[in-house]
Amino acid sequence: MSAPTRRDILRFSAALAAAGTLAACGKSGDEEAGGIVTVDLWHGQTDTGKKALDALIKQFNDTHPQIKIVGGGGGVTADSMLQKVTAGLAAGSFPDIAYIFGSDLASITRSPQVVDLSTVDLKDAWPAARDAVTVKGKVRAMPALLDSLCVVYNKKLFAAAGVPEPKAGWTWDDFVSTAQKLNNPAKGVFGTGWPGVGDEDTVWRLWPMIWDLGGDVVTEDGKSVAFDKVGEQVLGTLDKLRTDKSLYIDPKPGSEQLYQVFLGGRMAMVATGPWQLPDVLDKGIDYGVVPLPTYSGKAVTISGPDTWTVFDNGKARVKAATEFVKWLNDPQQDVQWDIQAGSLPVNTTTAALPAWKKHATATKGLQVFVDALETARVRPTITQYPQISQHLGEATVAVLLGKKSPGDALGECVKACNALLAVPS
């Protein structure tokens, strides 16, 4: 898996709009000499993720002599893959498979070169994984990575403050009061933290809170936002953390500083995913993991799945590329990727394998993230989502910085988003 700083950070650029007008042209030629079909994979993985994927590619190539997967990566990290692929599609030179963030899938499927994978059986995939690759009722990619959001906390800081450790079923009021009790300015300790630049990392943490209150991203007909009635309460929770001065606000993209404060033992609680556990373990922090707090008492979280998206460079290459991404999702390969690269099991079948159970048992708190998949939801695969996220991100930052009240910030956000949704996509 690539670094956690890449977690679904959206690019609000001209490249996004250009995806809708891409020429339907691609590379010619399906087979190489000797009848071997070569498949070009752009994955953008680094470090452990690249090492894990390289090993799987070799394993596939060794067992499928008529297909050769070339995993060059595309020359960019996963953060920049959308722009890279979009430019390649416009130029008529694009990969057979690319690692595309789930939040970008709806935009990239504007291109006629994205293959429809609706014939692929995803019945064993977690609902969040299926939903993330489904656009307008059709499967447009294969799940590549799965995560969920929970709260990781520092046991030492709780003990030092004499505060009971959180348990499943706790509320957002509990979270706010706990953060205030653990906040210790004299020792440079914050109760918790939140990304403060207004990007997708700022926003995606809000959706479980909105869903919990009965809201949603957009209405069923897609003509207006569906968080207008509950958003003020959600932003109000952040405002309370701000006014209590128990909230560290990360001013830089990627949340790196937020995580560094936690890893440095100066933050009591952080909402994060399983990708952060290796770093927590490496720092020797005595930690615990609990589900997100709730307003209603009913557990809900968010997952931000990424995808393997297949592009049409001819029938033979489409067939070979599809075979490879299906093979990656098979539990025997999925479990290798999950353990080595830091993902959660894409399939429920994988989660039941002895190898995964052993890994989950050996990694404190990991099973909490897996169990959270039972209530995990995903953001809608709609082309307007990046702009909605941008407006909500701006509103959130205005509240975090004390520049606007939750009500005023939300009102401006809703107005801008509804104007956007009123224009047919």
Side-chain angles (χ1 to χ4, degrees):
M1 186 176 98
S2 52
T5 56
R6 69 105 182 102
R7 180 82 17 212
D8 292 304
I9 298 174
L10 299 174
R11 278 71 52 190
F12 304 103
S13 63
L16 196 62
T21 57
L22 301 173
C25 58
K27 294 177 281 187
S28 60
D30 289 347
E31 299 183 9
E32 304 291 338
I36 297 176
V37 179
T38 298
V39 172
D40 192 12
L41 169 65
W42 293 1
H43 57 72
Q45 302 297 301
T46 60
D47 302 326
T48 56
K50 182 180 184 301
K51 183 178 179 181
L53 191 56
D54 285 346
L56 286 165
I57 290 171
K58 183 180 186 305
Q59 185 179 336
F60 181 87
N61 287 340
D62 288 346
T63 55
H64 297 74
Q66 294 305 113
I67 301 174
K68 181 182 179 182
I69 305 297
V70 178
V76 296
T77 62
D79 279 340
S80 302
M81 191 60 70
L82 178 66
Q83 299 99 310
K84 175 78 173 182
V85 173
T86 298
L89 286 165
S93 180
F94 46 87
D96 300 293
I97 307 167
Y99 187 95
I100 300 293
F101 292 166
S103 48
D104 291 330
L105 185 61
S107 296
I108 203 72
T109 56
R110 291 171 173 174
S111 168
Q113 299 308 118
V114 176
V115 176
D116 186 339
L117 298 179
S118 295
T119 58
V120 176
D121 184 4
L122 292 177
K123 70 177 186 302
D124 289 335
W126 290 100
R130 287 199 304 270
D131 291 345
V133 298
T134 302
V135 181
K136 295 181 178 179
K138 295 182 178 180
V139 176
R140 303 309 306 272
M142 289 290 286
L145 177 144
L146 194 61
D147 57 22
S148 63
L149 196 64
C150 293
V151 173
V152 179
Y153 63 94
N154 186 314
K155 286 175 171 282
K156 181 178 178 180
L157 293 178
F158 271 79
V163 177
E165 294 180 16
K167 296 180 180 180
W170 61 326
T171 68
W172 281 107
D173 284 341
D174 294 333
F175 184 88
V176 170
S177 63
T178 300
Q180 198 278 330
K181 292 172 184 175
L182 289 159
N183 199 57
N184 191 338
K187 294 185 178 181
V189 173
F190 294 89
T192 188
W194 205 279
V197 295
D199 58 10
E200 179 61 12
D201 204 24
T202 302
V203 173
W204 84 301
R205 302 158 188 265
L206 299 175
W207 297 124
M209 304 167 76
I210 288 169
W211 292 328
D212 184 29
L213 288 169
D216 209 336
V217 181
V218 294
T219 56
E220 191 172 343
D221 61 11
K223 294 181 179 180
S224 61
V225 296
F227 54 85
D228 52 323
K229 292 181 174 61
V230 302
E232 184 174 354
Q233 183 175 350
V234 170
L235 292 179
T237 298
L238 297 188
D239 195 45
K240 185 65 166 64
L241 289 165
R242 178 191 67 83
T243 55
D244 284 348
K245 302 186 185 303
S246 58
L247 186 68
Y248 174 81
I249 302 170
D250 192 339
K252 294 185 177 180
S255 302
E256 286 190 32
Q257 290 189 182
L258 184 153
Y259 291 126
Q260 287 304 316
V261 173
F262 181 81
L263 293 172
R266 296 189 297 111
M267 184 182 294
M269 305 179 292
V270 63
T272 187
W275 65 83
Q276 201 64 43
L277 293 186
D279 288 338
V280 175
L281 287 164
D282 185 59
K283 290 293 184 179
I285 295 174
D286 186 12
Y287 70 96
V289 182
V290 289
L292 290 179
T294 74
Y295 294 106
S296 66
K298 183 179 179 181
V300 63
T301 189
I302 187 169
S303 181
D306 297 334
T307 77
W308 297 119
T309 303
V310 177
F311 299 88
D312 189 353
N313 281 304
K315 291 182 179 179
R317 289 169 67 169
V318 167
K319 181 180 179 181
T322 303
E323 184 172 351
F324 177 65
V325 295
K326 288 171 61 179
W327 180 86
L328 282 177
N329 270 248
D330 182 87
Q332 297 303 320
Q333 284 71 247
D334 183 33
V335 73
Q336 295 179 55
W337 169 251
D338 300 333
I339 292 173
Q340 295 171 25
S343 176
L344 297 180
V346 168
N347 301 299
T348 56
T349 307
T350 306
L353 291 177
W356 172 261
K357 289 185 174 181
K358 180 180 178 181
H359 174 66
T361 300
T363 307
K364 184 172 65 174
L366 183 56
Q367 191 60 41
V368 179
F369 289 101
V370 178
D371 293 343
L373 291 173
E374 296 283 358
T375 62
R377 296 176 58 177
V378 297
R379 293 151 291 184
T381 50
I382 56 175
T383 56
Q384 301 98 327
Y385 180 78
Q387 290 89 347
I388 293 172
S389 175
Q390 183 179 21
H391 291 307
L392 185 54
E394 291 169 353
T396 304
V397 171
V399 172
L400 288 173
L401 299 182
K403 294 183 176 180
K404 293 178 184 176
S405 69
D408 288 345
L410 179 71
E412 293 178 15
C413 170
V414 169
K415 183 178 179 181
C417 290
N418 285 343
L420 166 72
L421 292 167
V423 179
S425 62

